[in-house]
Amino acid sequence: MELDRRDLLMALAGGTLFAATPLAPLSAAPRRDWAIVLSDLLPSNESARAVGRAYLDTEPADFDPQRLVEDLFEGQDRAEMQRLRGAVASAVRADFEAGRTVSLHGWFLSRTESQLCAMVTLLEA
Amino acid sequence: MYVDARSLSDGERLEADLCIVGAGAAGITLAREFIGSGLRVCLMESGTFEMEDEVQALCQGAVLGAEFFPLDQCRLRFFGGSTNHWTGFCRTLEPLDFAERPYIPHSGWPFGAEHMRPFYERAHKVCELGPPTYAVEDWVDGMPAPFALESGRLNNAIYQYSPPTRFGQAYRDELEKAANVTVLLHANAVNIETPAEPDRVTGIAAATLEGKRLRIVARDYVLATGGIENARILLNANRVQAAGLGNAHGLVGRYFGDHPIVWRSGLAVFGEGYPNLEYYCRDTRVRGHLVRGVFLPTEETLNRECMPNWAMTLMEARLTDASEGARSLKTLVAQAEAGELLDGFGTHVLNIVRDLDQLAESAWHRAFDTQIRIYTTRYWCETPPDPESRVLLVEEQDRFGLRRAGVDWRLPGDFYANIVKSNRILAEEFGRLGIARLQVFPDRTPENKDDWPHIQFESSYHHMGTTRMHADPRRGVVDADARVHGISNLHVAGSSVFPTYGHANPTLTITALAIRLADHLKTKQRDL
Ligand SMILES: Cc1cc2nc3c(=O)[nH]c(=O)nc-3n(C[C@H](O)[C@H](O)[C@H](O)COP(=O)(O)OP(=O)(O)OC[C@H]3O[C@@H](n4cnc5c(N)ncnc54)[C@H](O)[C@@H]3O)c2cc1C
């Protein structure tokens, strides 16, 4: 599955995605495109929701979905799933390296993986 | 030569150049150093070659603070002392352990690691250890490969095992043959005698359980009765000064430390097929010596996080390591092995990691399809020196009318936070390497303690700090030569002199310090 980066960013930029509160706006975003990309990345949807909810419960101040996506898609003209996966894996490792971790039910997870789960959760909300 | 004090006449007086009270790791090492020196040594020991209930009962006391083993079960009172039971896990203290750390009040030794090096080298032989090196590169060729820890936050390291040397058995014959050493068995030190102005010791009053009284008179005296008893004897020696001997500044018994060990502090889930974890979870014999790989924080990590020193290793998890919830889940649904150990959330975490963490993807998939590798993290640490953590006298008395010891062990307020922090550091290393995710077990509270019965810390039988070493008499009971401040001929041997503890088990350092003290006393006696 491929998605044009422009389409994706358009989708992101649309609506109130980046309004003041980080949690509400995603629901206002065009859901379809996001759900396709992200649910493909996270086929274990129930698990993504469980982790995402736990993350959102921590009321993270630094949860910025736009930046997350831009970082992951940086330098890519087209969002190939394989490359996206690679970008996520690198970001996850870089998070651990830099200590950007969150503790959910005692599990230490990278910020990127938790935030991706949070996005899925919000998109499906 | 061995003499049973019960065979001596009541009121008998013995003379020696050096009187050592207590024949454990410290006392035996010290006495051995004098073999053939021409100096007469009397090594007094409360027990004999086997444990005797009546003698062991002299160790009874009160537990007043944090969870602690009963006092008559955490040490042994017979020839060889607690080395009759010790495991033999050994490591030298690290340079940082000797240093004064600004974020750990009262920390630091009067000398550094380099000063200790020759004594450690000699102590290695006494404890029958391998070469005196703990550098991973000196061992790793014979071991399963450790992880490539390159973040600068953690180091791979090793501990060595002593066979374990049972000092009482290993050195029994040698002491028997030593013409200048008399080992006085069944002799309990009951008082340290001094003049009215207690600037020197004039004799040790001893007694047998049968009621015989003896007196040992020497030029120098060393207390080597273990980390609790050294303080107790000084506190009970209160006929001249009510607060006890060497206690002008109220420090005797204070700064008591042990190494809290959390056998299961977290759960680490590895993808199957990831390189060997054996380095961290199995003892390995390398060129005839048993060693164990551990994770240690780097100095930089400790300094940045302002943490006391700690160590971690891995153990294969068992079903009992799972939460109550996860265990009962097992009875409801036929679960894969992972499901038996992980609660619902843990399983979700693994699903996510499998989905997202590309590098480990194949490993995770295999892990899920077949078997997942779950380990628990074993954590132990030093506690910062705390004057409120202490050995004191309680009202109850022993057979000799001496007040028993009470142990009021205090853990620092950030003890649990540091367990979490340490596990987080390890989790971040595993995540960086793409090999595992780690869950730290939640704090054990009265509410969840039944859910997580294994989240318990134990004391480690390492009784330290109660006669701490410091050049300043207001900050230490003994000086840098282990001499009790203000008393010219009374020294202390054992971990009670440690002013800061490190994570390493103490007996190697106890032995090294005993050797150091022997050198010092030989010079002192020669100069007299
Ligand atoms: C189960 C267990 C496991 C351990 N594992 C390890 C380990 O793996 N690594 C490690 O480094 N350490 C370990 N230790 C601790 C280790 O045993 C001690 O650090 C060591 O024995 C202390 O040596 P010591 O000579 O100072 O005191 P002790 O060994 O306690 O010896 C003191 C001696 O003094 C005698 N004594 C006491 N009071 C009197 C008195 N009033 N008059 C005359 N004699 C007296 C006692 O009978 C005893 O023989 C362990 C201890 C136990 C109990």
Side-chain angles (χ1 to χ4, degrees):
Chain A
M1 203 245 14
E2 287 190 0
L3 190 79
D4 193 283
R5 179 172 186 266
R6 204 174 143 272
D7 295 345
L8 196 74
L9 293 178
M10 285 288 285
L12 266 172
T16 54
L17 190 61
F18 306 114
T21 63
L23 307 188
L26 264 178
S27 56
R31 293 177 183 191
R32 221 187 99 259
D33 299 342
W34 273 106
I36 293 167
V37 177
L38 292 172
S39 59
D40 266 23
L41 264 183
L42 284 163
S44 316
N45 247 345
E46 190 200 336
S47 295
R49 280 196 301 275
V51 172
R53 264 195 306 274
Y55 178 69
L56 292 170
D57 284 348
T58 67
E59 298 182 8
D62 61 349
F63 180 32
D64 179 347
Q66 179 186 24
R67 230 188 63 207
L68 175 69
V69 172
E70 282 181 351
D71 286 351
L72 292 177
F73 279 83
E74 199 190 336
Q76 296 187 33
D77 291 333
R78 300 185 68 74
E80 289 170 37
M81 280 317 280
Q82 206 44 38
R83 290 179 67 182
L84 190 54
R85 276 186 187 286
V88 170
S90 309
V92 166
R93 266 183 234 344
D95 280 349
F96 280 117
E97 173 117 39
R100 288 187 297 267
T101 51
V102 292
S103 166
L104 306 179
H105 294 236
W107 287 93
F108 296 110
L109 300 179
S110 95
R111 195 173 67 184
T112 302
E113 62 198 0
S114 320
Q115 292 192 343
L116 280 171
C117 292
M119 287 181 79
V120 169
T121 310
L122 292 174
L123 281 165
E124 294 191 347
Chain B
M1 175 176 51
Y2 290 97
V3 173
D4 193 320
R6 296 174 305 185
S7 67
L8 301 175
S9 319
D10 190 27
E12 198 157 326
R13 179 180 189 273
L14 287 89
E15 279 188 24
D17 295 305
L18 175 65
C19 171
I20 305 166
V21 185
I28 288 177
T29 302
L30 199 53
R32 286 184 67 239
E33 289 291 315
F34 280 87
I35 293 177
S37 66
L39 296 167
R40 293 164 304 154
V41 175
C42 175
L43 174 58
M44 291 174 59
E45 169 52 46
S46 171
T48 179
F49 300 117
E50 280 100 38
M51 195 172 97
E52 295 165 321
D53 291 344
E54 271 191 309
V55 179
Q56 187 61 25
L58 293 168
C59 287
Q60 285 167 6
V63 174
L64 307 169
E67 283 172 66
F68 202 76
F69 291 115
L71 267 56
D72 55 344
Q73 291 173 29
C74 62
R75 54 212 174 122
L76 287 173
R77 193 153 167 150
F78 66 101
F79 188 68
S82 294
T83 68
N84 286 298
H85 270 189
W86 78 314
T87 312
F89 210 41
C90 287
R91 194 180 151 89
T92 51
L93 292 177
E94 291 162 48
L96 186 79
D97 298 325
F98 290 100
E100 189 176 339
R101 283 168 272 172
Y103 50 90
I104 299 192
H106 314 289
S107 61
W109 288 61
F111 41 79
E114 198 46 37
H115 170 84
M116 282 296 286
R117 200 168 48 81
F119 306 113
Y120 272 134
E121 282 173 10
R122 288 158 67 186
H124 263 249
K125 294 200 178 82
V126 178
C127 296
E128 302 174 276
L129 293 161
T133 169
Y134 292 81
V136 175
E137 52 274 21
D138 292 332
W139 294 96
V140 82
D141 58 333
M143 298 180 77
F147 301 141
L149 304 174
E150 284 157 3
S151 66
R153 304 184 75 192
L154 287 175
N155 281 329
N156 289 309
I158 64 130
Y159 265 71
Q160 295 192 36
Y161 281 96
S162 163
T165 306
R166 308 260 172 247
F167 282 61
Q169 293 166 25
Y171 301 118
R172 179 173 168 174
D173 287 350
E174 197 182 353
L175 289 170
E176 164 104 75
K177 289 182 193 126
N180 65 322
V181 179
T182 302
V183 182
L184 198 56
L185 299 167
H186 285 129
N188 295 281
V190 291
N191 192 25
I192 305 172
E193 298 170 348
T194 63
E197 181 55 45
D199 58 354
R200 66 186 193 284
V201 172
T202 50
I204 298 282
T208 67
L209 281 175
E210 295 68 27
K212 275 191 181 153
R213 296 270 156 182
L214 306 167
R215 187 156 182 261
I216 296 95
V217 177
R219 286 197 281 174
D220 281 300
Y221 302 83
V222 178
L223 290 182
T225 58
I228 295 172
E229 219 57 20
N230 281 346
R232 177 176 173 238
I233 291 183
L234 288 171
L235 291 170
N236 267 317
N238 55 8
R239 293 187 195 164
V240 172
Q241 285 180 328
L245 207 54
N247 200 22
H249 299 283
L251 297 178
V252 173
R254 291 192 182 272
Y255 299 95
F256 175 78
D258 198 330
H259 291 120
I261 178 164
V262 185
W263 291 93
R264 294 171 177 82
S265 68
L267 206 65
V269 186
F270 292 84
E272 197 200 3
Y274 186 77
N276 232 319
L277 300 171
E278 307 247 310
Y279 178 88
Y280 306 100
C281 63
R282 292 254 188 283
D283 303 330
T284 312
R285 202 164 282 284
V286 182
R287 294 180 290 280
H289 302 288
L290 204 59
V291 294
R292 175 64 171 267
V294 295
F295 299 101
L296 296 184
T298 59
E299 277 197 16
E300 198 196 336
T301 299
L302 293 173
N303 288 335
R304 192 185 46 241
E305 304 283 348
C306 298
M307 299 169 91
N309 212 344
W310 51 270
M312 268 209 249
T313 187
L314 299 174
M315 298 195 304
E316 271 163 27
R318 305 184 309 231
L319 191 56
T320 48
D321 296 326
S323 72
E324 190 57 47
R327 263 181 284 154
S328 55
L329 210 76
K330 187 194 160 223
T331 57
L332 296 175
V333 196
Q335 291 270 313
E337 191 191 343
E340 292 178 0
L341 283 159
L342 300 175
D343 58 13
F345 193 80
T347 311
H348 289 312
V349 166
L350 289 199
N351 284 334
I352 297 306
V353 173
R354 184 191 57 180
D355 290 346
L356 291 182
D357 201 345
Q358 195 185 39
L359 191 122
E361 191 184 20
S362 58
W364 287 113
H365 273 299
R366 274 210 310 281
F368 248 66
D369 292 345
T370 55
Q371 209 190 27
I372 215 151
R373 300 172 57 159
I374 304 190
Y375 290 77
T376 50
T377 57
R378 185 198 299 179
Y379 166 91
W380 64 100
C381 66
E382 65 177 341
T383 51
D386 173 4
E388 298 309 316
S389 182
R390 62 193 292 205
V391 168
L392 38 80
L393 298 180
V394 295
E395 287 310 314
E396 197 191 328
Q397 297 178 353
D398 69 10
R399 293 261 302 260
F400 301 111
L402 297 171
R403 287 167 68 189
R404 293 193 185 276
V407 172
D408 185 357
W409 185 31
R410 305 278 175 98
L411 291 170
D414 56 3
F415 174 64
Y416 282 106
N418 282 334
I419 296 175
V420 174
K421 223 189 248 185
S422 311
N423 274 281
R424 176 176 224 134
I425 290 168
L426 190 59
E428 288 175 351
E429 194 67 31
F430 288 164
R432 187 186 71 79
L433 291 165
I435 54 173
R437 290 294 183 276
L438 191 150
Q439 180 194 29
V440 68
F441 289 136
D443 286 3
R444 195 170 65 132
T445 62
E447 290 74 45
N448 75 3
K449 75 177 168 38
D450 296 331
D451 287 351
W452 301 94
H454 48 284
I455 308 174
Q456 293 176 19
F457 68 86
E458 281 179 357
S459 50
S460 294
Y461 317 101
H462 305 156
H463 309 143
M464 301 173 285
T466 54
T467 62
R468 71 195 317 257
M469 186 182 268
H470 201 285
D472 180 348
R474 281 164 311 218
R475 298 177 65 190
V477 175
V478 301
D479 67 14
D481 291 324
R483 184 178 63 84
V484 176
H485 281 292
I487 304 177
S488 61
N489 60 351
L490 179 61
H491 292 74
V492 181
S495 45
S496 63
V497 306
F498 294 10
T500 320
Y501 323 122
H503 60 74
N505 299 38
T507 308
L508 178 62
T509 304
I510 291 173
T511 308
L513 286 175
I515 293 168
R516 178 178 179 271
L517 178 57
D519 283 5
H520 169 73
L521 288 172
K522 279 185 208 163
T523 311
K524 183 175 178 244
Q525 293 245 351
R526 226 179 287 129
D527 293 347
L528 279 177

